[in-house]
């Protein structure tokens, strides 16, 4: 690129980032009732998910799983399985061509044996990979494999795992101890804060194992087209999968790998976060190469229960507060089990409050259960700690928890005066987001009339009434990048967004079309996005709440660049070619003299002088009548080139650095808040808890797609209430075997388990994303589980310290079990 062109491009990008071309009006952004672009396919059952993929000659593969929680394969006889009609290949752990480790993606450690011989939890996929003509035949073959196992001691309890003489749960990865690491998060002087407190409270809490399972169990398809892989993935990170595959078999050029990312269902984290998520693809690649046939590997429903939330573990709290509810110090020790990566239990308290003295210690401990990771969110431990700290202080001091929240709102140990000053300095209005969220939530649930002193309201049906409130900031601050392109189609002037990403059902794709339509000035029906295939660009995937902030910037940049190209092309004659010369569609005008609305280019001073985009790219327009070949080959024009633009955005933790010393200076604190309320009825005879009302209030800065945001609130309520109320994977303490890995005995929340759900959105414009937006994904499912404990306390004046709040635990709190 010539220097002047490069300078022009950089200047344009700087202007885009500085938002020097703000939208004057929103026609599609924030519009209610927008039809989902995936709606018909999903509602009609025609949408194709990874498990639906069918290819000619395809084999179906299943893994051998361990019957023991900790065991090593000493020998294996697969001859009976290999002799079963329909079995085409059995790949074994001792295959001489399998490497001892391979890059399997996920979080550290990511390099593991492609087919391990040691199991570290009951049900782990180890030892053998059977490919057959059908899934049933593969399943039958697994039962014919004879294995000599050497059982090892196992652990299920994290506190037992901490003892000096405890057996090792995973000696292959951690040979010296069951403690993977210990990390401290702190600010201020916590002992000084306790000395200043009028009251110090100490308590213990626990979260048990929740499954990460989604609508379809993990699966994938691998096919070789000569030496070039074609891969269908069921996970949130197709870009990571492509990188991992490229590292295999001596290194495969990235441009030789074709990725497909079909509809995913509700794949909120989980599977894509763990190292073994690419193990099935590695084994399928080997078998597909040796058999010359595509291979689909599949887990069954039970196998999808072997993985859970990052908040499982034991929490030890010490909290100091003044009589008026001002919290002076917080200390938390969190013993976190089997976590793929750690998030501190106090970072939300550091980021989001005026509490000056905070200390948190996280110990990551290994036991013989499945892996815990970011399922629905990695902030689970943070939000649980946040809720319990505030609601415990309110209960001990006899205060309304909302009063305690408002008194302690702030950021990085600073109060609201400091925070409001930062809002103005960064170009925002000094709005009180938490207060606005609180007032809307209080009105919806009738808090002022219904909230009461704990244990004082018995209902006519004999049950005890309880209410609870919690809050935190909105979050979206994990690192990521996005590549999104958009082009005007040659024949009809419609626009296509190009970028591969995982569609997990939250309607993000429609939202990106809304952004593109408004920025381009097009009708929404003229913009389309099909993210399933790989065009060479990868958008930020649904692995955090950053997606709209990051992808929103990328598609906005691309749209603005493309609009500029359209207007330049419309005012420029095309150079003379073998077909003759073509005058500008709008001769004698400059790009700034034109605009686009409803897919029509028009002159601002005379809107009657106009041309549709379809006419513009057709035979009579400035772009035509080049053939598709000439257009793609780059036929010379004197404007900016093809009507295509690429936008990108990178975010690298732009709000608060991971290092605690940077948190206090906190140059870009979060300003937007969320508030959540629930109402319960507790039967003191049976221990049953009925959630009769949920109210969610989220300040998302600016709503792009109402249906998507409200869907996150509504669906997140079921996820969150289920996790706090009833969801629990149960293990036999004697055998280490999972007892309820099925939909009959693992209690997901259904429509009958939660009362009316209010979804309220606040728009203060104080987010750092485009249009002042901030993320909402993950929020509700992450924040609401902890609400069950204070709601039950408000009803019966007893704390259920271990969640989920099953009837047995409620009765135990009441001294009846």
């Amino acid at each position: 690129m010539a220097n002047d062109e490069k300078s022009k491009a950089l200047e344009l990008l700087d202007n885009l980032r500085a938002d020097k071309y703000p939208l004057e009006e929103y026609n599609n952004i924030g519009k209610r009732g927008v039809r989902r672009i995936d709606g018909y396919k999903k509602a009609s059952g025609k949408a194709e998910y990874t498990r639906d993929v069918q290819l000619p000659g395809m084999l179906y593969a299943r893994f051998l799983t361990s019957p023991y929680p900790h065991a090593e394969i000493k020998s294996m006889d697969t001859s009976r399985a290999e002799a079963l009609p329909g079995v085409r290949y059995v790949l074994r752990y001792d295959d001489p061509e399998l490497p001892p480790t391979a890059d399997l993606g996920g979080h550290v450690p990511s390099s593991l044996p492609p087919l391990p011989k040691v199991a570290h939890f009951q049900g782990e996929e180890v030892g053998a990979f059977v490919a057959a003509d059908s899934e049933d035949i593969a399943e039958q073959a697994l039962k014919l494999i004879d294995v000599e196992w050497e059982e090892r001691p196992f652990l299920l309890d994290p506190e037992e795992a901490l003892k000096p003489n405890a057996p090792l749960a995973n000696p292959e990865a951690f040979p010296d101890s069951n403690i993977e690491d210990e990390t401290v998060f702190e600010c201020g002087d916590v002992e000084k804060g306790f000395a200043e407190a009028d009251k110090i409270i100490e308590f213990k809490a626990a979260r048990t194992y929740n499954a990460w399972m989604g609508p379809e169990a993990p699966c994938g398809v691998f096919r070789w087209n000569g030496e070039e892989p074609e891969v269908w993935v069921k996970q949130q990170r197709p870009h990571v999968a492509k990188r991992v595959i490229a590292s295999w078999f001596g290194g495969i050029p990235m441009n030789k790998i074709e990725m497909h990312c079909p509809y995913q269902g509700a794949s909120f984290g989980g599977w894509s976060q763990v190292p073994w998520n690419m193990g099935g693809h590695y084994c399928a690649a080997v078998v597909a190469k040796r058999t010359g046939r595509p291979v689909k590997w599949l887990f069954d429903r039970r196998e999808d229960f072997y993985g859970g939330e990052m908040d499982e573990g034991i929490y030890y709290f010490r909290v100091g507060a003044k009589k008026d509810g001002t919290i002076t110090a917080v200390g938390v020790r969190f013993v976190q089990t089997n976590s793929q990566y750690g998030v501190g239990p106090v970072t939300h308290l550091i980021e989001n409050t005026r509490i000056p003295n905070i200390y948190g210690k996280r110990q990551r401990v290994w036991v013989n259960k499945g892996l815990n990771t970011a399922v629905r969110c990695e902030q689970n431990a943070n939000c649980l700690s946040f809720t319990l700290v505030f609601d415990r202080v309110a209960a001990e001091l006899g205060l309304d928890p909302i009063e305690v929240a408002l008194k302690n709102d702030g950021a990085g140990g600073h109060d609201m005066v400091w925070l409001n000053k930062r809002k103005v300095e960064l170009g925002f209005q000094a709005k009180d987001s938490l207060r606005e969220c609180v007032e809307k939530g209080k009105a919806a649930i009738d808090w002022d009339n219904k909230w009461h002193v704990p244990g004082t309201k018995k209902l006519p049906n004999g049950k005890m009434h309880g209410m609870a409130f919690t809050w935190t900031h909105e979050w979206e601050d994990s690192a990521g990048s996005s590549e999104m392109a958009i082009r005007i189609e040659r024949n009809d002037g419609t626009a296509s967004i190009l970028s591969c990403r995982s569609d997990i059902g939250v309607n993000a794709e429609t939202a990106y079309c809304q952004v593109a339509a408004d920025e381009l000035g097009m009708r929404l029906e003229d913009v389309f996005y099909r993210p399933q295939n790989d065009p060479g660009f990868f958008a930020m995937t649904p692995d955090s709440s950053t997606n709209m902030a990051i992808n929103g910037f990328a598609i906005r940049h691309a749209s603005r660049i493309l609009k500029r190209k359209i207007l330049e092309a419309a005012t420029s004659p095309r150079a003379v070619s073998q077909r003759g010369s073509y005058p500008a569609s709008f001769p004698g005008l400059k790009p700034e003299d034109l605009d686009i609305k409803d897919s029509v280019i028009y002159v601002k001073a005379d809107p009657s002088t106009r041309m549709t985009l379809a006419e513009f790219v057709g035979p009579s327009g400035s772009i035509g009548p080049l053939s598709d070949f000439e257009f793609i080959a780059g036929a010379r024009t004197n404007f900016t080139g093809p009507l295509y633009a690429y936008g990108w955005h990178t975010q690298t933790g732009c709000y608060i650095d991971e290092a605690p010393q940077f948190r206090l200076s906190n140059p870009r604190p979060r300003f937007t808040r969320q508030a959540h309320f629930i109402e319960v009825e507790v039967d003191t005879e049976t221990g049953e808890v009925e959630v009769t009302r949920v109210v969610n209030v989220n300040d998302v800065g600016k709503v792009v797609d109402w249906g998507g945001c409200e869907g996150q609130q509504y669906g997140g309520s079921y996820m969150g209430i289920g996790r706090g109320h009833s969801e629990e994977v149960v293990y036999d303490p004697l055998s280490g075997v999972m007892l309820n890995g099925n939909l009959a005995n693992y209690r997901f929340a259904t429509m009958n388990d939660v009362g009316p759900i209010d979804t309220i959105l606040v728009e203060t414009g104080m987010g750092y994303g485009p249009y002042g937006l901030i993320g909402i994904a993950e929020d509700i499912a992450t924040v609401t589980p902890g609400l069950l404990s204070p709601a039950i306390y408000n009803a019966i004046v007893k704390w259920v310290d271990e969640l989920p709040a099953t009837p047995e635990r409620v009765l135990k709190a009441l001294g009846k079990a």
Side-chain angles (χ1 to χ4, degrees):
M1 180 184 292
N3 287 334
D4 58 340
E5 291 179 340
K6 182 177 181 180
S7 297
K8 183 178 179 181
L10 291 174
E11 180 184 0
L12 175 60
L13 180 60
D14 288 340
N15 289 336
L16 292 175
R17 294 188 187 280
D19 204 12
K20 291 185 179 179
Y21 308 115
L23 283 174
E24 295 181 358
E25 62 177 336
Y26 297 113
N27 295 309
N28 296 290
I29 294 172
K31 181 180 180 180
R32 286 189 176 272
V34 173
R35 182 175 178 178
R36 296 177 61 129
I37 62 174
D38 61 355
Y40 173 75
K41 284 187 176 181
K42 290 179 177 177
S44 65
K46 295 181 178 179
E48 184 178 75
Y49 294 77
T50 312
R51 209 170 184 92
D52 298 326
V53 174
Q54 300 289 331
L55 301 176
M58 188 170 72
L59 300 178
Y60 299 79
R62 295 276 288 115
F63 282 95
L64 181 72
T65 58
S66 171
Y68 305 109
H70 197 191
E72 180 179 359
I73 297 174
K74 305 305 291 184
S75 65
M76 177 186 292
D77 182 355
T78 56
S79 57
R80 291 197 300 152
E82 292 165 341
L84 183 68
V87 172
R88 302 301 175 184
Y89 203 90
V90 178
L91 183 66
R92 296 167 50 106
Y93 72 97
D94 53 3
D95 189 294
E97 295 185 18
L98 285 182
T101 62
D103 182 359
L104 299 179
H107 293 281
V108 177
S110 61
S111 293
L112 294 173
L115 199 54
K117 72 171 184 176
V118 178
H120 299 101
F121 59 89
Q122 184 269 321
E124 184 173 6
E125 295 76 23
V126 293
F129 180 79
V130 177
D133 290 339
S134 71
E135 187 177 356
D136 287 342
I137 295 174
E139 188 67 37
Q140 292 176 38
L142 292 175
K143 298 175 182 178
L144 299 177
I145 297 176
D146 297 313
V147 183
E148 179 188 357
W149 296 93
E150 181 181 279
E151 293 187 62
R152 297 177 176 180
F154 67 90
L155 292 162
L156 299 177
D157 187 324
E159 291 183 301
E160 291 295 318
L162 287 173
K163 294 180 178 179
N165 60 346
L168 295 177
N170 190 342
E172 282 70 31
F174 310 105
D176 300 323
S177 167
N178 289 317
I179 301 176
E180 179 179 353
D181 63 30
E182 296 182 349
T183 306
V184 170
F185 306 80
E186 62 182 335
C187 65
D189 184 339
V190 72
E191 292 305 322
K192 176 176 178 290
F194 285 127
E196 296 172 349
D198 295 326
K199 189 173 186 63
I200 295 175
I201 59 176
E202 297 185 10
F203 59 97
K204 176 182 175 182
R207 286 287 289 119
T208 61
Y209 196 73
N210 294 150
W212 67 33
M213 63 161 291
E216 58 173 349
C219 57
V221 181
F222 201 106
R223 174 167 68 185
W224 290 95
N225 298 316
E227 296 300 315
E228 300 176 3
E230 186 176 7
V231 189
W232 288 258
V233 294
K234 177 189 162 41
Q235 57 145 285
Q236 291 185 230
R237 292 183 166 116
H239 61 297
V240 172
K242 191 172 186 177
R243 175 193 60 77
V244 169
I245 292 167
S247 71
W248 298 346
F249 315 117
I252 305 169
M254 292 276 282
N255 62 358
K256 301 294 185 183
I257 303 170
E258 183 177 0
M259 300 297 299
H260 304 278
C261 194
Y263 290 121
Q264 300 293 295
S267 297
F268 298 110
W271 178 243
S272 65
Q273 309 274 0
V274 300
W276 184 235
N277 83 82
M278 289 299 292
H281 284 290
Y282 191 101
C283 295
V286 172
V287 173
K289 176 71 74 173
R290 294 179 181 179
T291 62
R293 297 170 66 173
V295 175
K296 177 192 283 189
W297 60 273
L298 311 100
F299 283 9
D300 64 18
R301 174 55 74 195
R302 181 180 177 84
E303 288 172 275
D304 203 19
F305 280 86
Y306 294 110
E309 309 277 0
M310 286 175 55
D311 56 349
E312 191 207 11
I314 312 296
Y315 301 73
Y316 303 88
F317 292 89
R318 189 170 187 236
V319 184
K322 296 284 191 181
K323 293 179 181 179
D324 67 354
T326 301
I327 299 174
T328 60
V330 175
V332 184
R333 179 166 74 94
F334 175 33
V335 182
Q336 183 181 34
T337 61
N338 290 26
S339 174
Q340 280 299 286
Y341 62 97
V343 174
V346 295
T347 52
H348 277 213
L349 290 163
I350 295 173
E351 295 166 354
N352 190 39
T353 73
R354 62 177 295 181
I355 302 171
N357 309 296
I358 299 172
Y359 176 90
K361 182 177 182 179
R362 182 197 67 228
Q363 295 175 295
R364 288 201 284 176
V365 178
W366 285 86
V367 296
N368 295 110
K369 297 179 182 179
L371 300 172
N372 287 326
T373 187
V375 185
R376 301 168 239 192
C377 190
E378 67 277 4
Q379 303 294 333
N380 301 320
N382 258 312
C383 293
L384 180 62
S385 294
F386 200 93
T387 294
L388 294 181
V389 164
F390 277 92
D391 281 285
R392 284 274 190 160
V393 166
E396 289 291 329
L397 297 176
L399 299 173
D400 185 329
I402 292 175
E403 178 184 347
V404 178
L406 293 170
K407 187 174 292 292
N408 289 280
D409 192 9
H414 301 290
D415 61 16
M416 289 299 293
V417 173
W418 178 90
L419 192 61
N420 286 333
K421 182 179 178 181
R422 294 296 291 130
K423 293 172 186 176
V424 174
E425 290 172 348
L426 291 170
F428 299 105
Q429 297 182 46
K431 298 178 180 179
D432 192 331
S433 177
L434 178 58
R435 192 172 295 276
E436 186 169 348
C437 290
V438 162
E439 292 305 318
K440 290 182 180 296
K442 286 175 62 177
I445 206 165
D446 196 16
W447 180 271
D448 288 339
N449 292 318
K450 289 185 175 181
W451 187 78
H452 52 78
V453 173
T456 60
K457 186 173 182 179
K458 190 172 186 178
L459 299 169
N461 60 12
K463 297 179 182 180
M464 300 302 295
H465 175 269
M467 299 187 76
F469 157 82
T470 192
W471 67 290
T472 186
H473 57 61
E474 299 287 348
W475 64 87
E476 58 177 29
D477 185 32
S478 64
S481 62
S482 177
E483 307 161 351
M484 301 187 80
I486 186 166
R487 69 166 182 246
I488 299 297
E489 300 289 355
R490 291 277 294 148
N491 291 330
D492 59 9
T494 57
S496 296
I497 299 173
L498 308 174
S499 190
C500 184
R501 71 183 300 274
S502 167
D503 179 344
I504 62 171
V506 297
N507 202 30
E509 289 68 29
T510 304
Y512 302 139
C513 290
Q514 290 172 262
V515 170
D518 274 5
E519 291 290 350
L520 287 166
M522 296 182 68
R523 299 180 303 175
L524 183 59
E525 56 266 33
D526 290 339
V527 183
F528 191 68
Y529 182 21
R530 182 182 293 106
Q532 286 81 10
N533 295 326
D534 176 5
F537 307 104
F538 287 92
M540 181 69 180
T541 56
D543 52 14
S544 69
S545 295
T546 59
N547 295 298
M548 182 51 73
I550 292 180
N551 292 337
F553 271 127
I555 192 60
R556 193 187 76 170
H557 292 347
S559 300
R560 290 183 176 182
I561 293 169
L562 179 56
K563 182 176 181 179
R564 184 72 181 178
K565 285 186 173 185
I566 293 171
L567 299 183
E568 287 177 352
T571 54
S572 302
R574 190 162 62 86
V576 176
S577 73
Q578 61 182 359
R579 299 195 181 197
S581 62
Y582 299 90
S585 295
F586 294 87
L589 297 177
K590 298 178 181 180
E592 52 267 30
D593 297 327
L594 306 181
D595 204 349
I596 307 173
K597 184 174 183 180
D598 295 332
S599 300
V600 175
I601 306 170
Y602 66 93
V603 178
K604 293 179 182 177
D606 180 14
S608 64
T609 303
R610 56 176 49 210
M611 175 181 287
T612 68
L613 279 170
E615 292 169 335
F616 176 61
V617 299
S620 62
S622 290
I623 306 300
L626 294 176
S627 69
D628 288 339
F629 173 78
E630 288 175 308
F631 182 73
I632 294 170
R636 297 301 299 165
T637 63
N638 65 353
F639 53 88
T640 322
L643 293 184
Y644 157 92
Y646 162 56
W648 70 97
H649 184 69
T650 300
Q651 180 169 299
T652 54
C654 60
Y655 311 133
I656 298 181
D657 194 280
E658 280 300 315
Q661 62 266 30
F662 291 109
R663 296 182 188 278
L664 294 179
S665 59
N666 199 357
R668 292 185 68 185
R670 298 173 177 91
F671 300 137
T672 64
R673 302 291 188 251
Q674 53 181 301
H676 305 277
F677 304 76
I678 68 168
E679 190 172 1
V680 302
E681 295 181 6
V682 181
D683 189 325
T684 57
E685 296 301 317
T686 65
E688 290 286 348
V689 178
E690 182 182 358
V691 179
T692 58
R693 187 76 179 272
V694 178
V695 174
N696 304 304
V697 190
N698 290 83
D699 178 4
V700 296
K702 173 65 181 175
V703 178
V704 174
D705 176 69
W706 282 89
C709 289
E710 291 172 335
Q712 293 281 39
Q713 293 179 300
Y714 193 80
S717 295
Y718 285 100
M719 292 184 195
I721 297 302
R723 286 169 51 213
H725 186 206
S726 58
E727 288 187 40
E728 180 178 16
V729 176
V730 179
Y731 286 86
D732 181 349
L734 299 179
S735 66
V737 172
M738 180 193 295
L739 299 177
N740 64 332
N742 57 71
L743 292 175
N745 298 317
Y746 183 87
R747 289 195 56 199
F748 280 104
T750 69
M751 294 180 70
N752 293 328
D753 297 312
V754 183
I757 299 170
D758 285 24
T759 57
I760 302 171
L761 296 169
V762 174
E763 298 179 280
T764 63
M766 294 194 299
Y768 295 119
Y771 320 114
L773 64 80
I774 196 167
I776 185 175
E778 306 174 346
D779 288 358
I780 298 84
T782 309
V783 179
T784 52
L787 272 173
L788 268 295
S789 184
I792 293 169
Y793 176 83
N794 187 248
I796 64 174
V797 205
K798 299 292 182 180
W799 288 102
V800 176
D801 292 323
E802 186 175 19
L803 295 176
T806 60
E808 294 79 7
R809 293 189 176 109
V810 174
L811 292 176
K812 182 179 178 181
L814 288 166
K816 297 183 178 182

